[in-house]
């Protein structure tokens, strides 16, 4: 299953933002928004550690919109 495959990739490489974004998209497609929000925050944290502040901020905003039920993601 795609979700399990991506979760294993992330487990092996916790900073793999590409896999996290793919998994986030899958979670949104199946209505698991809480998991998607969690991943968006993890992606933001990876970007913060890399000092990519604008990218991190964008992911935090997306997470906030999804968590509040705003569909403009």
């Amino acid at each position: 299953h795609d979700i399990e495959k991506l979760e294993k990739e992330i487990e092996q490489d916790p900073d793999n933002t590409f896999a996290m974004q793919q998994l986030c998209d899958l979670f949104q497609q199946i209505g698991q928004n809480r998991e998607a929000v969690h991943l968006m925050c993890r992606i933001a944290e990876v970007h913060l550690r890399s000092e990519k502040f604008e990218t991190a901020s964008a992911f935090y905003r997306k997470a906030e919109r999804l968590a509040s039920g705003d569909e403009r993601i």
Side-chain angles (χ1 to χ4, degrees), residues 4-47:
E4 292 171 359
K5 178 180 173 253
L6 289 167
E7 286 175 335
K8 283 185 181 181
E9 284 183 37
I10 296 165
E11 187 177 309
Q12 293 171 355
D13 179 7
D15 289 348
N16 185 341
T17 57
F18 181 72
M20 281 189 257
Q21 286 178 296
Q22 289 181 305
L23 185 56
C24 184
D25 290 343
L26 283 175
F27 280 145
Q28 288 180 74
Q29 289 172 16
I30 62 173
Q32 294 186 11
N33 290 345
R34 183 176 298 215
E35 289 83 355
V37 166
H38 174 73
L39 276 172
M40 287 178 191
C41 291
R42 280 186 60 191
I43 294 167
E45 290 166 9
V46 171
H47 288 298

Side-chain angles (χ1 to χ4, degrees), residues 52-69:
K52 297 177 183 172
F53 302 116
E54 286 184 27
T55 304
S57 179
F59 275 98
Y60 281 130
R61 284 192 305 271
K62 285 174 70 170
E64 182 179 30
R65 285 195 302 267
L66 184 59
S68 70

